[in-house]
Amino acid sequence: MLDELRNDNEFLRLRLNEHDSLHQEREEHLNQTIQNLQSALHTHQNNVQASSTEHKQREQEYKNKIDTLEKNLQDETEKRKKVLSQKKSGEVRLGHIAETLAPFLDQFEFEPERCSFLGQPIDYISFGDDEITFIEVKSGNSQLSQKQRHIRDLVKQKAVSWKEIRIQ
């Protein structure tokens, strides 16, 4: 029986050694896997940090480009406003010249001697033999102002009157 116990004991010791050896291999394998994962994590973190830095640089570059484009747009807008203002000013001057010269042009169908220049809000008033005519001279694509349209409408509605004021 002692032999049997020794054999069993030896068998168990061998099995325990095998088990310890297998356990040690597994532990080494797990430790290696953990080290590999830690290394991969460290590499990934470095990549993320580098990518983040690169994105921040790109973002700053884009912000700078946007700032430059906005400044250029603002400058171009101001230039266009200036050109439009100059164009409008030129058109207004041309309109004033046309108003002044109108009585001497072929399109002006009234006798200049019978016209009086008012300037605002109506350019001329003509005193004919049979009627009094309000005249507004326009050049290019210019339109009647709101006040001029109102005066035109009053004249068309015959809402015109005469008032004599005596001063002593």
Side-chain angles (χ1 to χ4, degrees):
M1 168 109 155
L2 193 55
D3 282 340
E4 240 178 74
L5 282 174
R6 281 188 190 149
N7 284 340
D8 284 346
N9 192 18
E10 186 64 29
F11 175 76
L12 288 174
R13 193 177 313 127
L14 285 175
R15 290 286 285 156
L16 184 59
N17 285 343
E18 285 176 12
H19 182 41
D20 283 346
S21 167
L22 188 61
H23 179 70
Q24 189 174 3
E25 284 179 28
R26 283 184 182 164
E27 189 173 332
E28 286 174 8
H29 180 69
L30 285 174
N31 284 337
Q32 185 62 42
T33 301
I34 289 170
Q35 286 176 352
N36 291 343
L37 287 172
Q38 286 174 337
S39 175
L41 176 62
H42 182 69
T43 301
H44 181 71
Q45 286 173 335
N46 287 342
N47 290 341
V48 166
Q49 187 176 7
S51 178
S52 175
T53 301
E54 183 181 334
H55 284 131
K56 286 178 182 176
Q57 287 173 344
R58 281 187 183 168
E59 181 181 10
Q60 189 60 44
E61 288 172 9
Y62 290 142
K63 283 181 180 179
N64 291 342
K65 284 181 182 179
I66 288 171
D67 289 345
T68 300
L69 289 172
E70 285 177 343
K71 173 122 178 51
N72 291 346
L73 177 63
Q74 185 178 17
D75 291 347
E76 186 64 28
T77 301
E78 287 176 18
K79 286 178 187 176
R80 287 180 186 253
K81 282 181 182 178
K82 186 176 180 181
V83 167
L84 285 175
S85 174
Q86 290 171 345
K87 182 181 177 202
K88 186 128 181 132
S89 177
E91 290 171 351
V92 168
R93 279 184 292 206
L94 180 63
H96 288 303
I97 292 169
E99 290 170 1
T100 305
L101 296 177
F104 306 104
L105 299 175
D106 292 337
Q107 297 99 324
F108 198 79
E109 50 192 75
F110 301 92
E111 292 180 36
E113 305 83 34
R114 292 181 165 223
C115 294
S116 292
F117 180 74
L118 300 176
Q120 281 296 334
I122 302 298
D123 293 327
Y124 290 93
I125 187 164
S126 173
F127 298 97
D129 291 333
D130 299 336
E131 70 178 345
I132 297 171
T133 307
F134 293 93
I135 304 166
E136 178 60 29
V137 177
K138 292 291 181 191
S139 62
N141 293 327
S142 61
Q143 303 289 320
L144 291 176
S145 69
Q146 184 176 356
K147 189 172 188 177
Q148 290 168 339
R149 285 192 303 271
H150 181 66
I151 292 169
R152 175 201 61 196
D153 294 343
L154 289 173
V155 170
K156 285 184 176 185
Q157 296 167 12
K158 299 182 180 23
V160 179
S161 61
W162 172 268
K163 185 80 166 186
E164 188 173 320
I165 298 175
R166 293 196 178 262
I167 300 176
Q168 296 189 18

